[in-house]
Amino acid sequence: MKILIVGGGGREHAIAWKLAQSPKTEKIYCAPGNAGIEEYAECVDIGVMEFEKLAAFAREKEIDLAVIGMDDPLVGGIVDVFEAAGIRVFGPRKNAAILEGSKAFSKDLMKKYGIPTAAYENFDDPEKALAYLEGAELPVVLKADGLALGKGVLICNTLEEAREGVKSIMMDKKFGAAGNQMVIEEFMTGREVSVLSFVDGKTIRTMTSAQDHKRALDGDQGLNTGGMGTFSPSPFYTDEVDDFCRQYIYQKTVDAMAAEGREFKGIIFFGLMLTEKGPKVLEFNARFGDPEAQVVLPRMKNDIVEVFEACIDGTLDKIELEFEENAAVCVVLASKGYPVSYEKGFAIRGLETFKEKEGYYVFHAASRREDGVLVTNGGRVLGVTATGKDLKEARANAYEAVKWVDFDNKYCRSDIGKAIDESFVK
Ligand code: AMP
Ligand code: GLY
């Protein structure tokens, strides 16, 4: 099969690597891709929001399967454009990708169908939001409705901060049109877990659990980032938690979307908070997590082409997902200064060692070639993943592999997968 991936980060590199393992795969293209993805795919210089150009390219190359990695094109309706052009495509249509694209929509859906989540109110008028804050319990959580690169969530400890937050989201439009509406919700405490799933409209198959570290600095301090590292599985995602989520969250979400006439095909990423009162949904995403994909896919045994096709064809009930009985840790190597300001264009050295060793992977988040030399091309540069028999071993292996790589201003957290309470790290 000829396959086109849309996207160009670490997640898409992991997808390309996994697709390349399938005997069904003949040729992979990736738009726009990056210098790491080039190992598996021919990279094409078309932007992820250039739907018509991408569709024309897919038709010209007789693409058999398109896989959309990123949220923006999904929420913008790329799947509808591809389908109209007769291209087989994996991912939710625009009317279903709204599950990620609008937090107000997803909160209302959960309320209507009784899916556990934090108590909330939606607002499209800043004056009403400000008035509501007067009676709200602190801390309080403010969320811009639309996509905001994971930055549209503010946790406010004082009324003053919350007022400022409403102002910056809805009046100053700090996150652009994403702030035309906002959600104000109850603050929850507990451990966070990400569970990704494949969905074919009716059937849902969950993947192994993972956890992201969103903050820039050790000990979950500093600014929020796109993700500084992940581990899988999460020791906090017990059988009991899984049973609860199967009963009250996963299938219910799929059925709710179908009942709303928004059949969901693709990936639903459940961001969960394990609260004292049981698991609750923090957010939904409509695609693989980045860098969750970099720890989940290396542990997945299935042929991913078969799984993608089953989602498109509505035959996911015939598939059982299988994962290795091991663990994986991904440490993101960033450029010092990320997520605020950082330089690009530094030579990257030491990636050869990954080719010689089994169970070690380096997924490129932002790299390019300059006169034949591999250089950094963004804030998050590489995701170094290693597997091991358990989290402790995977973590030791990942940090060993981090030492193989070198570029100026290299920065990473030193506590990815340390899971705060060491007693849980077997
Ligand atoms: P979201 O994009 O909705 O997942 O929010 C980003 C991050 O903000 C989450 O991963 C949580 O760490 C935090 N967060 C979001 N909503 C809440 C909440 N209601 N209570 C506590 N923390 C939250
Ligand atoms: N790692 C979180 C996300 O992909 O949204």
Side-chain angles (χ1 to χ4, degrees):
M1 286 170 74
K2 295 197 216 57
I3 302 176
L4 169 67
I5 304 170
V6 176
R11 163 184 47 210
E12 286 76 26
H13 193 173
I15 295 170
W17 165 80
K18 186 67 183 159
L19 282 168
Q21 317 287 307
S22 170
K24 294 190 164 185
T25 302
E26 282 166 50
K27 164 100 187 163
I28 307 174
Y29 296 92
C30 187
N34 66 36
I37 294 172
E38 265 171 14
E39 189 181 338
Y40 304 104
E42 185 175 326
C43 294
V44 193
D45 190 17
I46 309 176
V48 299
M49 298 307 283
E50 296 182 277
F51 300 169
E52 296 296 340
K53 264 194 182 174
L54 287 168
F57 174 84
R59 300 237 338 222
E60 182 200 321
K61 297 292 181 191
E62 299 178 332
I63 292 296
D64 302 296
L65 171 67
V67 178
I68 315 301
M70 289 178 67
D71 45 357
D72 291 283
L74 287 170
V75 170
I78 192 172
V79 168
D80 305 63
V81 174
F82 274 34
E83 283 183 349
I87 302 154
R88 234 160 111 72
V89 53
F90 174 79
R93 292 182 186 144
K94 186 174 185 172
N95 76 347
I98 191 174
L99 191 62
E100 169 164 8
S102 167
K103 292 196 191 277
F105 169 85
S106 72
K107 294 297 291 191
D108 285 347
L109 185 87
M110 288 189 272
K111 187 191 259 178
K112 181 167 172 189
Y113 292 91
I115 297 164
T117 190
Y120 76 102
E121 292 279 340
N122 292 337
F123 296 92
D124 53 17
D125 175 352
E127 294 305 329
K128 289 199 174 127
L130 287 168
Y132 174 85
L133 285 179
E134 299 302 316
E137 228 174 90
L138 294 169
V140 67
V141 183
L142 312 184
K143 297 186 174 185
D145 175 58
L147 295 181
L149 296 169
K151 297 190 180 108
V153 175
L154 305 177
I155 295 172
C156 304
N157 291 307
T158 65
L159 186 57
E160 204 39 49
E161 256 178 70
R163 287 188 189 125
E164 282 303 310
V166 167
K167 204 170 149 277
S168 73
I169 292 175
M170 295 196 90
M171 294 153 109
D172 305 341
K173 295 280 156 85
K174 188 170 172 196
F175 308 108
N180 289 346
Q181 280 193 74
M182 69 178 292
V183 177
I184 301 186
E185 76 176 25
E186 164 203 15
F187 177 76
M188 301 188 287
T189 50
R191 297 208 179 261
E192 288 184 40
V193 183
S194 304
V195 176
L196 281 58
S197 68
F198 290 101
V199 181
D200 73 353
K202 309 178 290 288
T203 301
I204 178 164
R205 291 280 187 258
T206 52
M207 299 178 227
T208 181
S209 62
Q211 189 181 322
D212 188 7
H213 295 264
K214 288 203 172 79
R215 302 294 199 94
L217 308 175
D218 281 4
D220 291 327
Q221 302 295 311
L223 293 173
N224 260 326
T225 70
M228 293 303 293
T230 35
F231 59 90
S232 169
S234 162
F236 310 107
Y237 192 77
T238 59
D239 288 346
E240 194 190 351
V241 173
D242 187 58
D243 285 347
F244 180 95
C245 296
R246 281 180 197 285
Q247 195 171 347
Y248 296 107
I249 297 176
Y250 301 146
Q251 188 68 49
K252 264 182 141 177
T253 304
V254 175
D255 294 346
M257 289 298 280
E260 293 292 309
R262 297 173 181 274
E263 182 187 64
F264 194 107
K265 289 186 174 204
I267 286 167
I268 301 183
F269 166 139
F270 297 86
L272 304 171
M273 176 84 90
L274 309 181
T275 75
E276 268 184 359
K277 291 188 195 140
K280 293 189 182 184
V281 176
L282 277 168
E283 64 160 347
F284 297 115
N285 293 318
R287 34 112 194 139
F288 278 109
D290 188 344
E292 282 84 348
Q294 291 91 311
V295 284
V296 169
L297 292 179
R299 300 187 54 225
M300 184 173 158
K301 292 191 196 171
N302 301 69
D303 178 336
I304 201 167
V305 175
E306 282 177 8
V307 182
F308 285 153
E309 291 201 289
C311 291
I312 297 170
D313 296 339
T315 55
L316 195 58
D317 58 332
K318 309 272 184 326
I319 292 209
E320 292 302 330
L321 296 182
E322 286 186 273
F323 290 84
E324 305 282 353
E325 291 286 328
N326 63 359
V329 169
C330 172
V331 179
V332 169
L333 303 187
S335 252
K336 218 172 272 168
Y338 172 76
V340 182
S341 66
Y342 48 82
E343 292 175 61
K344 306 187 221 181
F346 299 116
I348 303 171
R349 293 171 290 268
L351 302 192
E352 316 73 51
T353 321
F354 288 87
K355 291 209 173 72
E356 299 155 14
K357 308 232 182 187
E358 192 129 334
Y360 294 85
Y361 312 82
V362 59
F363 297 116
H364 295 220
S367 66
R368 70 190 155 87
R369 272 184 205 285
E370 207 174 80
D371 304 326
V373 179
L374 185 67
V375 299
T376 70
N377 195 33
R380 289 193 298 173
V381 179
L382 302 169
V384 170
T385 296
T387 54
K389 65 177 188 311
D390 54 23
L391 273 178
K392 195 172 174 188
E393 189 179 285
R395 183 166 181 270
N397 291 345
Y399 276 102
E400 180 58 29
V402 161
K403 292 188 210 150
W404 306 339
V405 186
D406 186 36
F407 55 86
D408 287 356
N409 289 3
K410 174 179 126 181
Y411 166 75
C412 67
R413 275 182 59 164
S414 70
D415 63 348
I416 302 301
K418 208 168 163 188
I420 305 160
D421 180 352
E422 289 279 355
S423 63
F424 280 97
V425 181
K426 282 188 238 123

